[in-house]
Amino acid sequence: DIQLTQSPSTLSASVGDRVTIACRASQNIYSWLAWYQQKPGKAPKLLIYKASSLESGVPSRFSGSGSGTEFTLTISSLQPDDFATYYCQQYNSYFSFGQGTRLDIK
Amino acid sequence: QVQLQESGPGLVKSSETLSLTCAVSGASVSSPNYFWSWFRQPPGKGLEWIGYIFYGGSTNYNPSLKSRVTISVDRSKNHFSLKLSSVTAADTAVYYCARGLSGSSSPPTDYWGQGTLVTVSS
């Protein structure tokens, strides 16, 4: 099984801040990594796939980088709508998710 | 517009089988361009992949659930289904269905259902 570890688990930030969430894989997953945003009571929403490809319709303030075992999701300038929980997902070998990072308003 | 909608009992007794269906509109479950997944999320916890099925009927399941899971497709009704046997309280979760795109440069999911809460009672 491929394990994904996200850091931090919780992040407090303000509107306009630049934030970065990290995701580490237990083995090489090349670029087979996606990032999702989830709000309470809603299904996850795909933001990034193949580590750095922006899903259609997702604002350009979201970006992803990394390969192998180290990945990051960056939000360049936080907007009020961005406060949510974020998950990374690997799809190199079946699927698995990180434990999530909750992004709170400071 | 692609839509997925989960349906099934919201309450299942412990040791019985959980059965859910995902109705698909705006896309065909028979298309080789897609595969169809189930996920779940226990209350207040993270996401867990359950399994997926390809258009030809082949499946892959989460190893931790494999012995209890069956995913199938009904092409005549354009839906796919999940069965999870011998449920316990640990199977209480919101269950989601989702579409994935076949192809090496495609995302693993694009459209998701809204989710349905299934509670396992003793």
Side-chain angles (χ1 to χ4, degrees):
Chain A
D1 291 12
I2 297 176
Q3 311 297 323
L4 296 179
T5 302
Q6 289 182 231
S7 59
S9 295
T10 305
L11 179 58
S12 295
S14 301
V15 172
D17 284 354
R18 177 185 180 91
V19 300
T20 298
I21 299 169
C23 179
R24 173 175 291 179
S26 60
Q27 62 189 76
N28 186 358
I29 59 170
Y30 305 93
S31 294
W32 304 118
L33 188 98
W35 289 96
Y36 294 85
Q37 176 193 70
Q38 188 179 34
K39 296 182 178 179
K42 299 295 186 181
K45 173 187 175 183
L46 177 68
L47 301 174
I48 301 284
Y49 64 98
K50 209 172 180 184
S52 60
S53 295
L54 190 68
E55 173 69 344
S56 176
V58 174
S60 58
R61 63 180 180 273
F62 291 92
S63 63
S65 64
S67 64
T69 61
E70 303 285 341
F71 301 87
T72 58
L73 172 70
T74 299
I75 309 173
S76 61
S77 179
L78 270 176
Q79 299 302 301
D81 190 50
D82 299 339
F83 293 96
T85 299
Y86 293 84
Y87 293 93
C88 57
Q89 177 203 29
Q90 68 81 22
Y91 51 110
N92 178 71
S93 175
Y94 303 137
F95 289 168
S96 57
F97 291 90
Q99 81 279 14
T101 294
R102 192 178 76 203
L103 178 54
D104 290 337
I105 300 174
K106 185 183 288 185
Chain B
Q1 175 72 344
V2 177
Q3 292 186 321
L4 290 82
Q5 178 68 58
E6 305 91 349
S7 63
L11 189 63
V12 180
K13 292 184 178 179
S14 182
S15 80
E16 296 189 344
T17 295
L18 177 160
S19 295
L20 295 174
T21 295
C22 181
V24 179
S25 59
S28 172
V29 297
S30 300
S31 170
N33 297 322
Y34 313 123
F35 62 97
W36 307 93
S37 299
W38 285 99
F39 301 89
R40 69 180 183 179
Q41 185 170 37
K45 297 188 178 181
L47 295 162
E48 181 180 32
W49 169 65
I50 299 171
Y52 46 65
I53 188 165
F54 295 92
Y55 79 101
S58 62
T59 54
N60 287 110
Y61 300 133
N62 186 322
S64 69
L65 299 169
K66 186 175 183 177
S67 64
R68 299 194 291 131
V69 173
T70 302
I71 296 175
S72 59
V73 164
D74 186 329
R75 292 177 178 78
S76 67
K77 296 181 179 179
N78 207 43
H79 72 208
F80 63 107
S81 300
L82 169 69
K83 292 188 185 297
L84 182 65
S85 63
S86 305
V87 297
T88 69
D91 296 309
T92 292
V94 175
Y95 285 76
Y96 294 100
C97 58
R99 186 182 82 167
L101 297 173
S102 301
S104 60
S105 295
S106 299
T109 68
D110 56 357
Y111 290 96
W112 291 62
Q114 64 185 22
T116 188
L117 175 63
V118 179
T119 301
V120 177
S121 66
S122 56

